[in-house]
């Protein structure tokens, strides 16, 4: 795998985690900062949004229970 392929793969993973909301705070901050200036990040984020958009039509949004995000962050930071 070339360096370009490795970079694109890593960017795709980060972008997917941002769209899914599963990345940790540092990863999300990194991707969000790069979105402003890196076309590859922008392309990958839009690709993930397109792939996952049909799921939003299937399910109604559900608010997480109180403290859920904090517990998830704590668990992510321990990994």
């Amino acid at each position: 795998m070339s360096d370009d392929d490795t970079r694109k793969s890593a960017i795709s993973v980060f972008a997917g985690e941002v769209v899914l909301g599963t990345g940790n705070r540092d990863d999300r901050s990194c991707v969000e900062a790069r979105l402003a200036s890196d076309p590859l990040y922008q392309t990958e984020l839009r690709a993930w949004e397109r792939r996952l958009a049909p799921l939003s039509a299937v399910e109604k949004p559900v608010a997480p229970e109180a403290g859920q995000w904090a517990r998830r962050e704590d668990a992510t930071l321990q990994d």
Side-chain angles (χ1 to χ4, degrees):
M1 185 180 282
S2 73
D3 288 343
D4 287 341
D5 290 339
T6 301
R7 179 175 180 266
K8 183 176 181 185
S9 179
I11 289 170
S12 182
V13 168
F14 286 137
E17 289 176 348
V18 168
V19 172
L20 288 169
T22 60
N24 67 37
R25 185 177 302 151
D26 292 337
D27 290 344
R28 286 192 307 269
S29 296
C30 176
V31 170
E32 290 166 1
R34 296 293 299 270
L35 280 171
S37 62
D38 191 326
L40 184 54
Y41 272 79
Q42 295 165 4
T43 299
E44 288 300 312
L45 189 77
R46 284 193 303 271
W48 274 105
E49 289 172 338
R50 279 192 307 275
R51 283 184 207 116
L52 297 174
L55 295 176
S56 67
V58 175
E59 294 293 329
K60 294 179 183 177
V62 176
E65 62 186 67
Q68 181 64 40
W69 287 117
R71 287 192 302 276
R72 190 183 83 57
E73 278 298 321
D74 289 345
T76 302
L77 292 174
Q78 292 175 8
D79 289 339

